[in-house]
Amino acid sequence: MMQPWFPDAKLGIFIHWGIYAVEGTAESWAIFSKERTYDSYMNQRHGFTAANYDPRAWADLFKRAGARYAVLTSKHHDGMALWDTQASDLSVVKQTPAGRDLIAPYAEALHEAGLKVGLYFSHLDWSHPDYAPLPPAERTKDHFPMPLTDHSNDPYHRYWSELGPKTPAWQRFLAFHEAQLRELCTNYGQIDILWFDGEWTPDDDDYWQMPALSDKLLAWQPNVILNSRLRGLGDFKTPEQGIPIERPEGVWEFNTTINDSWGYKPNDHNYKSVPQLVRMFAECIGMGGNMLLDVGPMADGTIPPEQVERLEGLGAWINRHAEAVYETQAGLPHAYHYGASTLSKDQQTLYLICFDRPNGQVAVKGIRNEIKSISIQGEPLTFRKLGGAPWINLPGVLWIDVPESALDPIATVIKIELAGPLDLFTGKAHV
Ligand code: GLC
C-alpha cells in the first residue's frame, strides 16, 4: 500500500550488487545473451568476498547524497541470493568467500540511520531447475531485446506455452518463490519497499498468481510499498533509464544508472556529471516523481569513487535547496516556465529550478495570484507583472530580475511566495 513517506522522499539509491561485480560482467544478462557461459559467469562467485562491506558507511553516504531510502538487489535474475536462504543452496552465504548474510547488516544499518529499507527481488530465476532451461545456445546478443518484444515464435517462449502453470515443475517454482519472499519479509524487521523485476517471462498471469502473492506480502509486511512490476498490481510506476516527457499519472519513480551499467563495470566511464544528475533529479521532482539512482559496488563492497563523488555532489545541491525538494509536489506544467519547478504542500510557495543562466530575467506565465515575495536563498529579488487582461482574468507575465551574483553554480532555485494557493491560468486567451 502506498505510504505518505514515499512521494515526500524524492531520492532513493538503487544498489546492484552481486557476483557479476567480480569480473565486471553485465548483471545476469551476460548469461542470457550468451556473452558468458553459465558456468563461467557463475564462477565469478569465487571472487565475491564482501571483504570491505560496510553498510553503515553506505547508509552514511546515502544520507550525504540526500536520499531517504535505498533498494538493494537481494536476488537478481541469476538467482544468487544475498541472504542466507533456506530455500536453495544458491546464496552468497554458501557459494562465495563472503560466507555470510549480507541483507541483515544492510537492513540494520539503514534502520539505524533512519533510512527506509528497500529490497529488489527478481521474480524470474535463471538458475532454478524448475524455472526454465536457459535460453537456446544459439541465442546471441543480436536477439536483443527479447523479453519485451513480440516473441511468440521464440523457442524460449514456446517452452512456457507448452509447460503450463499447473505442472508440478511450475508449482514447485512458485513455492520456492514464495518461500524466499517469506524469508525476506519476516527475518529483517521492517521492509519498506519490495522492488520487483523480471515479471515478464513467462508473460502470463496464470503462472504468476500475483494477487495471491501480493496478499501474502502485505500480511507479512503490512506497511510495505510494492512497485508496479507485479503484472498490473503495485503502488508506483517504474520508468527506467528515460525520464518521462509528460508527467505520468499517479505515484512514480524514475530509476537510472549513474553510468551505463547497473552493476560494477570498471570499463564503463560514461558517467553522468553532477549538474546532469541534478537536472535529471529536478525534472523528476518537478513532475511529482522520485529518482532512484543506481550504484554498483565492487565485489568487496566498496562503492567506486566516481560514484561516491557524484552522490556527494548531488547531495550538496539538494542540501542547499532542501526546502524546494522534500515534501513538495509537482510544480508548474510545461511551458509556464522553462525549467523544472516544485510546489509546497499548501500550494502557496512555488520553487522555480533554473538550469540555464537567465541573462538578467526569468519569466513565468499564467500566475493569477498576487505575489507576496520572490527570493533566492533568502535574498529578495525585484519583479513585475507585465501585460495580461484583468477583465478576462488573464494574468500578465511575471518578470523576475535575477542578478548574476545570486546564481547557484549548478541550478538556481527561485522561491515565489503567493497570496493563497496557486491559481493558474489554464485556458486560451480571447480569440
Ligand atoms: C532492467 C534490467 C535489470 C535491472 C533493472 C532495473 O529490468 O533487466 O538488470 O535490474 O532494469 O530497473
Side-chain angles (χ1 to χ4, degrees):
M1 209 170 59
M2 184 41 67
Q3 304 293 329
W5 69 263
F6 183 78
D8 285 346
K10 308 302 177 190
L11 183 70
I13 303 297
F14 212 173
I15 311 151
H16 274 69
W17 194 33
I19 58 168
Y20 39 87
V22 172
E23 288 165 21
T25 45
E27 76 294 340
S28 309
W29 288 101
I31 332 171
F32 193 90
S33 66
K34 302 288 171 190
E35 195 180 299
R36 300 286 293 262
T37 63
Y38 180 78
D39 289 344
S40 86
Y41 175 92
M42 284 315 233
N43 276 338
Q44 292 179 94
R45 69 189 189 276
H46 301 301
F48 189 78
T49 64
N52 294 313
Y53 178 39
D54 182 353
R56 286 206 174 89
W58 282 10
D60 202 53
L61 170 67
F62 301 163
K63 283 178 92 166
R64 287 203 302 285
R68 294 200 162 166
Y69 63 99
V71 177
L72 169 64
T73 47
S74 64
K75 182 178 90 163
H76 207 265
H77 313 326
D78 61 16
M80 182 68 83
L82 288 197
W83 78 99
D84 192 12
T85 180
Q86 304 302 301
S88 95
D89 281 344
L90 202 61
S91 70
V92 297
V93 184
K94 293 186 180 130
Q95 302 286 339
T96 76
R100 63 192 197 281
D101 187 317
L102 302 176
I103 298 292
Y106 160 82
E108 204 178 296
L110 264 66
H111 284 140
E112 261 175 38
L115 293 169
K116 299 287 185 189
V117 179
L119 294 175
Y120 166 109
F121 182 86
S122 170
H123 294 295
L124 64 78
D125 185 322
W126 288 329
S127 287
H128 197 277
D130 290 319
Y131 180 71
L134 279 168
E138 70 273 18
R139 184 181 303 288
T140 66
K141 274 195 106 175
D142 304 338
H143 287 76
F144 272 104
M146 178 263 177
L148 304 174
T149 54
D150 173 22
H151 45 252
S152 41
N153 286 322
D154 191 290
Y156 193 50
H157 177 77
R158 272 210 305 278
Y159 170 87
W160 291 109
S161 50
E162 283 157 23
L163 179 74
K166 300 269 183 283
T167 50
W170 184 254
Q171 290 303 314
R172 279 196 305 269
F173 181 75
L174 274 191
F176 158 75
H177 181 248
E178 182 184 322
Q180 288 207 319
L181 284 167
R182 178 197 284 267
E183 291 174 344
L184 289 173
C185 287
T186 54
N187 289 336
Y188 304 101
Q190 172 71 40
I191 301 298
D192 300 290
I193 303 177
L194 282 171
W195 210 106
F196 289 104
D197 194 16
E199 78 292 11
W200 57 78
T201 310
D203 189 6
D204 185 334
D205 293 343
D206 291 342
Y207 278 83
W208 289 110
Q209 302 295 324
M210 293 302 190
L213 177 68
S214 152
D215 289 348
K216 282 174 194 146
L217 299 172
L218 289 170
W220 296 323
Q221 285 285 340
N223 296 318
V224 76
I225 302 175
L226 307 174
N227 75 344
S228 56
R229 301 188 183 180
L230 276 162
R231 305 193 64 85
L233 301 177
D235 305 309
F236 65 93
K237 299 194 182 93
T238 58
E240 174 178 330
Q241 294 292 48
I243 298 174
I245 304 290
E246 294 299 333
R247 180 180 167 190
E249 272 179 32
V251 184
W252 62 279
E253 178 203 60
F254 165 64
N255 65 100
T256 180
T257 51
I258 198 163
N259 48 4
D260 288 334
S261 314
W262 294 104
Y264 174 61
K265 263 205 177 177
N267 297 332
D268 180 354
H269 301 294
N270 210 15
Y271 279 101
K272 286 136 195 138
S273 68
V274 171
Q276 286 163 347
L277 291 167
V278 166
R279 186 170 180 142
M280 290 161 66
F281 176 63
E283 284 183 3
C284 288
I285 64 173
M287 290 192 288
N290 285 7
M291 183 161 98
L292 185 64
L293 180 62
D294 182 69
V295 294
M298 302 178 205
D300 71 354
T302 307
I303 298 180
E306 297 91 331
Q307 303 188 359
V308 172
E309 188 196 314
R310 279 155 183 86
L311 260 52
E312 287 176 339
L314 174 60
W317 182 88
I318 293 178
N319 195 33
R320 287 201 290 283
H321 304 291
E323 184 188 329
V325 172
Y326 302 113
E327 284 101 36
T328 60
Q329 58 189 57
L332 298 169
H334 291 321
Y336 287 81
H337 151 69
Y338 294 102
S341 60
T342 58
L343 188 62
S344 62
K345 282 206 173 146
D346 67 5
Q347 307 200 354
Q348 303 200 20
T349 308
L350 187 63
Y351 301 93
L352 306 181
I353 305 176
C354 305
F355 304 128
D356 304 314
R357 300 187 88 77
N359 291 325
Q361 288 190 316
V362 164
V364 193
K365 288 179 231 161
I367 298 185
R368 285 187 172 135
N369 306 69
E370 185 196 319
I371 308 295
K372 284 180 26 190
S373 70
I374 304 188
S375 58
I376 293 181
Q377 304 277 76
E379 286 291 317
L381 303 184
T382 51
F383 56 89
R384 271 217 295 170
K385 257 193 201 174
L386 287 177
W391 59 93
I392 50 168
N393 204 8
L394 171 71
V397 175
L398 175 63
W399 293 94
I400 308 167
D401 301 314
V402 183
E404 283 281 312
S405 58
L407 297 182
D408 183 280
I410 295 182
T412 304
V413 176
I414 301 177
K415 174 175 175 179
I416 304 180
E417 289 188 284
L418 309 166
L422 178 66
D423 178 14
L424 270 190
F425 168 71
T426 51
K428 290 196 176 81
H430 201 158
V431 280

